[in-house]
């Protein structure tokens, strides 16, 4: 091929240069039999990368870390983390690498990162590898979240490594090439804080601010300003999760970003009927990361973030704690406001509707939906039909019709905007049974179901003929859903 690869992809090494204490230069394992399975062409275009080059043999070697463009310094990033509440001082990228940063077509820095690229010094007892199912699952769900307008890391490609990975059974191995606005996590700050080097912590704060909040360097107290910004970003993110019924499943502090993007799709799932106690992950035996706990857990994680930053908030430890508490106090308010605004939008309530009236309509509907165990996603689309004068389908799934009719009368009197509702209530979400179906077929070498699912999920708000089965809840035969961390 005549095209120079340096022209095809130019990778910076800003993280590796600015924070060497948190980065171990490392090489991906060689994957001579690597085969590109899926390439996200729209994302490649956003990054200014030529899909034809990425599909070429050398392009695939770049996507697997086997060909390192000049100037790049792939590193395994160090981080700590609270996992299910218990602290692990040294997690880090055990099977992942930050290849480097690209500048996208809008001038933003984006990380190119590999997951499943072989063991690193952080691997402990792990094999450093990933199985095909979980990597495709991250591809599907993260791209669906993006299409829903929810901040998330993205998936550029999934590559079959040609290796066999041993979990409970032998599985085909794969690697995900991931894109993120950064891979800074709460755990990155915990790791830096544990080194008891305020200068390093300050450098990490400055790096995060330059990357995510270029407006902040002038702040009187940059660390506090960063903390406040992360509190706000996470409050907004968690509200978005709750509004679509997303259950992350492993909200450890190493899986919470500073950018406010959703990261590390492991045993995640979507609820059907509204259930605060919904847990899908087989390892979450106590329901710590249940659907309804997510806001509390986010707040808990942010408290751990504040603890890491305390020495930078103020020299006086007591004063520093007060500042942290004040700043963290904003979370509940911001989360509550974001959730309320989101529900108002889902119900198409005009701005003129008073907040207290809206809250009552929302709460009463939630109670009715819970009582009848309705499928949340499809029900909101049925409600927009009701707003257009066609209430039959919504009525059809309600048990207490008299109560629902009374609610409908109150709500329609507020003049809900059905088109506005359709713009925020998705028809298509990555329903658990559809994801499993696509993964099962893909593992047997048939990518058809995955491609069809992805095309439905790419435009989630636009109802299209022929895609009816992607809009329906799981059949009863699907049974109670369990996700496994056997990644
Ligand atoms: P996760 O649950 O994917 O967020 O991973 C938690 C930690 O375990 C991170 O430090 C990962 O790098 C590490 N890890 C997970 N799976 C493996 C594996 N197969 N080999 C090495 N490290 C792993
Ligand atoms: Mg993780």
């Amino acid at each position: 091929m005549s095209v120079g690869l340096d022209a095809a992809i130019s990778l910076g090494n800003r993280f590796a240069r600015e924070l060497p204490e948190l980065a171990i230069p490392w090489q991906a394992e060689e994957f001579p039999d690597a085969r590109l399975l899926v390439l996200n062409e729209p994302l490649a275009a956003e990054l200014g990368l030529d899909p034809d080059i990425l599909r070429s043999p050398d392009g695939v070697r770049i996507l697997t870390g086997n060909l390192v463009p000049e100037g790049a310094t792939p590193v395994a990033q160090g981080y700590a983390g609270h996992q299910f509440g218990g602290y692990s001082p040294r997690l880090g990228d055990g099977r992942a690498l930050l290849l480097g940063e690209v500048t996208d077509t809008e001038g933003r820095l984006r990380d190119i990162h590999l997951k499943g690229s072989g063991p690193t010094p952080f691997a402990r007892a792990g094999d450093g590898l990933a199985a095909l199912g979980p990597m495709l699952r991250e591809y599907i769900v993260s791209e669906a979240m993006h299409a829903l307008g929810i901040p998330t890391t993205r998936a550029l490609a999934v590559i079959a490594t040609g290796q066999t990975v041993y979990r409970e059974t032998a599985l085909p191995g794969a690697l995900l090439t991931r894109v993120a606005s950064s891979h800074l996590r709460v755990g990155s700050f915990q790791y830096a804080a544990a080194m008891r080097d305020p200068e390093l912590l300050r450098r990490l704060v400055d790096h995060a601010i330059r990357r995510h909040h270029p407006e902040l360097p002038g702040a009187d107290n940059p660390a506090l300003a960063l903390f406040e910004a992360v509190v706000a970003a996470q409050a907004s993110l968690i509200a978005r999760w709750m509004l679509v019924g997303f259950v992350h499943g492993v909200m450890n502090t190493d899986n919470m970003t500073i950018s406010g993007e959703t990261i590390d799709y492991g045993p995640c799932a979507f609820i059907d009927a509204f259930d605060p106690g919904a847990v899908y992950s087989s390892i979450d035996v106590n329901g710590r990361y249940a659907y309804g706990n997510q806001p509390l857990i986010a707040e808990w994680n942010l408290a751990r973030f504040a603890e890491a930053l305390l020495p930078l908030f103020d020299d006086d430890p007591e004063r520093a704690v007060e500042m942290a508490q004040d700043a963290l106090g904003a979370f509940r308010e911001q989360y509550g406001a974001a959730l309320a605004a989101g529900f108002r939008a889902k119900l198409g309530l005009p701005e003129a509707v008073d907040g207290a009236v809206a809250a009552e309509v929302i709460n009463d509907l939630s109670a009715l939906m819970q009582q009848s165990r309705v499928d949340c996603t499809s029900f909101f689309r049925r409600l927009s039909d009701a707003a257009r004068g066609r209430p039959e389908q919504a009525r059809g799934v309600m048990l207490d019709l008299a109560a629902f009719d009374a609610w409908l009368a109150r709500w329609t009197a507020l003049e809900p905007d059905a088109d506005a509702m359709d713009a925020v209530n998705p028809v298509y979400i990555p329903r658990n049974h559809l994801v499993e179906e696509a993964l099962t077929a893909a593992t047997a070498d048939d990518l058809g179901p995955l491609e069809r699912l992805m095309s439905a999920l790419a435009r989630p708000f636009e109802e299209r003929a022929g895609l009816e089965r992607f809009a329906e809840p799981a059949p009863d035969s699907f049974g109670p859903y369990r996700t496994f961390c056997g990644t």
Side-chain angles (χ1 to χ4, degrees):
M1 171 139 51
S2 60
V3 189
L5 278 164
D6 286 344
I9 182 163
S10 160
L11 283 172
N13 58 1
R14 182 183 286 214
F15 181 88
R17 253 187 306 112
E18 294 184 1
L19 295 155
E21 296 89 340
L22 310 183
I24 301 180
W26 202 253
Q27 272 279 335
E29 190 167 319
E30 280 292 327
F31 298 112
D33 301 322
R35 183 164 63 93
L36 180 65
L37 290 182
V38 252
L39 178 69
N40 188 338
E41 296 206 357
L43 178 58
E46 243 179 63
L47 298 174
L49 305 178
D50 180 341
D52 290 335
I53 293 178
L54 293 179
R55 286 184 189 284
S56 73
D58 276 351
V60 174
R61 293 183 64 224
I62 290 179
L63 289 170
T64 53
N66 286 174
L67 179 64
V68 178
E70 218 177 284
T73 312
V75 292
Q77 289 179 299
Y79 50 83
H82 278 86
Q83 298 180 301
F84 291 90
Y87 186 62
S88 295
R90 189 181 156 94
L91 291 171
D93 288 335
R95 53 157 174 182
L97 289 178
L98 172 65
L99 275 189
E101 304 99 8
V102 289
T103 304
D104 72 13
T105 52
E106 290 184 9
R108 298 169 301 186
L109 274 190
R110 312 277 288 269
D111 278 2
I112 308 282
H113 177 98
L114 308 176
K115 194 164 171 176
S117 48
T120 76
F122 293 107
R124 295 163 286 158
D127 60 6
L129 303 174
L132 177 61
M135 296 305 101
L136 286 174
R137 163 186 265 275
E138 175 157 342
Y139 189 99
I140 297 170
V141 184
S142 66
E143 286 306 303
M145 294 285 268
H146 172 71
L148 288 164
I150 300 174
T152 178
T153 63
R154 304 285 305 277
L156 179 61
V158 175
I159 291 123
T161 59
Q163 289 184 337
T164 300
V165 174
Y166 296 93
R167 297 293 180 257
E168 279 97 45
T169 53
L171 298 168
L175 182 152
L176 172 76
T177 313
R178 181 161 79 180
V179 175
S181 71
S182 88
H183 281 79
L184 301 176
R185 309 148 187 267
V186 167
S188 315
F189 286 79
Q190 294 180 294
Y191 188 73
M195 295 187 188
R196 308 218 169 269
D197 173 359
E199 188 274 330
L200 166 64
L201 197 55
R202 191 161 290 126
R203 225 180 323 124
L204 179 57
V205 166
D206 290 346
H207 178 93
I209 288 178
R210 271 198 304 280
R211 195 102 194 234
H212 299 296
H213 299 283
E215 75 286 1
L216 290 184
D220 291 344
N221 188 332
L224 187 61
L226 175 66
F227 181 64
E228 289 168 345
V230 176
V231 167
Q234 287 292 339
S236 159
L237 177 68
I238 306 300
R240 301 296 305 269
W241 288 1
M242 299 304 283
L243 290 163
V244 293
F246 176 73
V247 184
H248 182 284
V250 238
M251 288 178 71
N252 296 333
T253 57
D254 52 305
N255 290 338
M256 186 183 236
T257 58
I258 298 311
S259 63
E261 289 176 348
T262 312
I263 197 169
D264 276 353
Y265 294 82
C268 59
F270 283 78
I271 59 168
D272 300 317
F274 181 79
D275 174 9
V279 174
Y280 300 93
S281 170
S282 58
I283 59 169
D284 190 3
V285 283
N286 296 314
R288 178 181 171 90
Y289 299 139
Y291 171 68
N293 273 359
Q294 297 186 120
L296 279 174
I297 291 292
E299 191 184 45
W300 190 91
N301 288 347
L302 290 165
R304 306 288 80 75
F305 183 32
E307 279 168 7
L309 293 173
L310 280 179
L312 300 187
F313 286 170
D314 201 278
D315 290 336
D316 172 1
E318 277 181 35
R319 179 77 196 108
V321 169
E322 274 171 35
M323 293 161 93
Q325 282 169 341
D326 281 354
L328 185 58
F331 179 84
R332 286 186 185 210
E333 207 177 300
Q334 289 167 347
Y335 168 75
L339 192 74
F343 267 118
R344 283 184 72 113
K346 285 177 85 66
L347 284 176
L349 296 177
E351 290 217 7
V353 173
D354 174 71
V357 172
E360 208 176 318
V361 166
I362 291 164
N363 291 337
D364 293 350
L365 178 67
S366 298
L368 288 167
M369 287 174 65
Q370 259 192 88
Q371 181 194 46
S372 297
R373 295 197 59 77
V374 301
D375 175 72
C376 298
T377 304
S378 55
F379 186 73
F380 279 99
R381 298 293 292 208
R382 288 174 172 178
L383 272 188
S384 55
D385 288 339
R388 294 187 178 97
R390 296 190 304 271
E392 300 76 22
Q393 286 213 327
R395 293 181 83 241
V397 295
M398 279 287 169
L399 295 174
D400 185 347
L401 268 184
F404 183 58
D405 283 342
W407 181 88
L408 264 184
R410 272 162 60 212
W411 173 62
T412 42
L414 300 172
E415 301 186 355
D417 180 338
D419 291 340
M421 290 173 72
D422 284 347
V424 297
N425 291 315
V427 185
Y428 312 111
I429 59 165
R431 290 179 180 274
N432 309 323
H433 67 292
L434 298 173
V435 173
E436 290 306 318
E437 175 190 85
L439 297 184
T440 304
T443 305
D445 242 2
D446 175 11
L447 287 170
L450 182 133
E451 281 160 10
R452 288 190 286 278
L453 176 59
M454 294 296 292
S455 78
L457 296 173
R459 286 182 282 142
F461 303 105
E462 197 183 305
E463 190 160 12
R464 280 159 282 161
L467 298 182
E468 290 76 10
R469 66 181 294 272
F470 296 108
E472 278 161 23
D476 290 340
S477 61
F478 187 63
Y481 188 48
R482 275 270 156 274
T483 54
F484 296 91
C485 232
T487 53

